[in-house]
Amino acid sequence: MMRLAVCDSSVADAQELVVKLQHLAADMGISCTVNSYRNARLLLETAKENPFDAVFLETEIGSTGGIELARKLRFYHEEVEIVFVTAKEEYALAAYGVFPLGYLLKHAERKRLYPIMLRLMRRRREMGPVLRCMTADGGEALVPRDELYYVEVIGNRLFFHGRRGTVEGIGSLSAVSDALPQKLFYRAHRNFIVNLQYVEKIGHYYFEMQNGDRVTVAKNRYTEARAVFEAHFES
């Protein structure tokens, strides 16, 4: 399910775009919800708790302006896609400074939305499934599952070690385990989950990862861990 939002000070303009997006998504076979907001505050409050996949922003929304609003949305959720909607073409150059997915003039024909929706779907496929984790400052970080080597917990701090480095978050390892496909991710220790795709070999009480890191295997899980690794390696 894809979540879209429209933010426009004009109720009529917002509703017009919402309807176009809903009809286009239905025609393309895309499952999505489209919500509309009249001001930046309500949009930010919602996005902070439950991020959107893409937001269609009027460039002159409220006192902050759509471009500044886009920067704030990216602060809470860096992967959100932005599409600017305005009646003034001169905003285009400034808008591209925040790397939007697209730029639309108000009341654009539905056919102008089609390539934007295609780009959005392509971006989502490229990013693949992600884990969402809360950071210590109350923000959110996204970790692509297919790039994750292993997850480590120390106290209530989570460390997601992957191809792009380490992302730190807060929470429980059990909650992370529940969010991961059990076929690929194995709980090797109370403090570690490994992605079997990136295990190079298994030694006595450790997995050696392809990046050279060693992940502890609990002694009482060693026999099971070896069997799980060998089954995955042979599959």
Side-chain angles (χ1 to χ4, degrees):
M1 173 71 74
M2 190 162 57
R3 299 186 71 245
L4 307 180
V6 173
C7 191
D8 196 312
S9 55
S10 166
V11 175
D13 289 351
Q15 187 58 31
E16 176 188 332
L17 183 53
V18 166
V19 171
K20 286 180 179 177
L21 288 169
Q22 289 174 333
H23 288 173
L24 179 59
D27 290 347
M28 295 175 69
I30 299 171
S31 176
C32 76
T33 60
V34 188
N35 298 314
S36 64
Y37 299 85
R38 289 192 61 187
N39 63 69
R41 181 182 59 82
L42 290 175
L43 175 63
L44 285 171
E45 287 178 357
T46 303
K48 185 177 180 179
E49 299 299 325
N50 198 358
F52 294 98
D53 293 291
V55 179
F56 292 73
L57 293 178
E58 179 192 21
T59 53
E60 296 181 277
I61 184 73
S63 59
T64 60
I67 296 172
E68 180 59 30
L69 176 55
R71 293 192 180 99
K72 291 181 178 180
L73 284 167
R74 286 268 171 79
F75 175 79
Y76 292 123
H77 178 45
E78 63 182 12
E79 299 297 333
V80 65
E81 300 290 358
I82 303 295
V83 179
F84 286 109
V85 184
T86 182
K88 300 180 180 180
E89 293 188 22
E90 61 267 27
Y91 278 102
L93 185 59
Y96 277 105
V98 290
F99 306 104
L101 180 70
Y103 181 85
L104 285 172
L105 291 177
K106 280 197 172 187
H107 313 300
E109 297 178 20
R110 202 179 74 164
K111 66 181 181 181
R112 302 293 182 186
L113 290 170
Y114 183 74
I116 289 177
M117 192 70 82
L118 282 180
R119 286 199 295 273
L120 176 58
M121 297 304 297
R122 189 178 301 117
R123 293 270 188 95
R124 283 169 57 85
R125 285 196 300 270
E126 288 171 354
M127 190 171 78
V130 296
L131 278 175
R132 301 179 186 271
C133 67
M134 182 174 292
T135 56
D137 61 4
E140 182 188 59
L142 299 180
V143 182
R145 287 191 329 211
D146 61 351
E147 296 185 4
L148 184 61
Y149 295 152
Y150 63 98
V151 187
E152 177 182 11
V153 64
I154 301 175
N156 73 333
R157 296 294 177 117
L158 294 167
F159 298 89
F160 299 85
H161 304 277
R163 286 195 307 211
R164 305 186 194 187
T166 299
V167 174
E168 183 177 348
I170 58 175
S172 74
L173 200 61
S174 293
V176 173
S177 180
D178 290 342
L180 291 169
Q182 303 302 305
K183 185 177 180 180
L184 295 178
F185 290 86
Y186 176 67
R187 183 78 177 265
H189 186 277
R190 66 180 183 179
N191 291 351
F192 292 99
I193 298 171
V194 297
N195 185 343
L196 294 168
Q197 296 178 102
Y198 293 105
V199 175
E200 187 70 25
K201 66 179 183 180
I202 185 169
H204 275 87
Y205 313 125
Y206 68 86
F207 281 120
E208 185 168 312
M209 311 304 293
Q210 290 178 9
N211 68 343
D213 289 356
R214 287 189 173 185
V215 176
T216 302
V217 174
K219 290 183 178 181
N220 63 349
R221 296 184 185 177
Y222 176 70
T223 301
E224 178 187 79
R226 176 173 286 279
V228 167
F229 170 67
E230 291 175 351
H232 176 79
F233 188 77
E234 292 171 359
S235 64

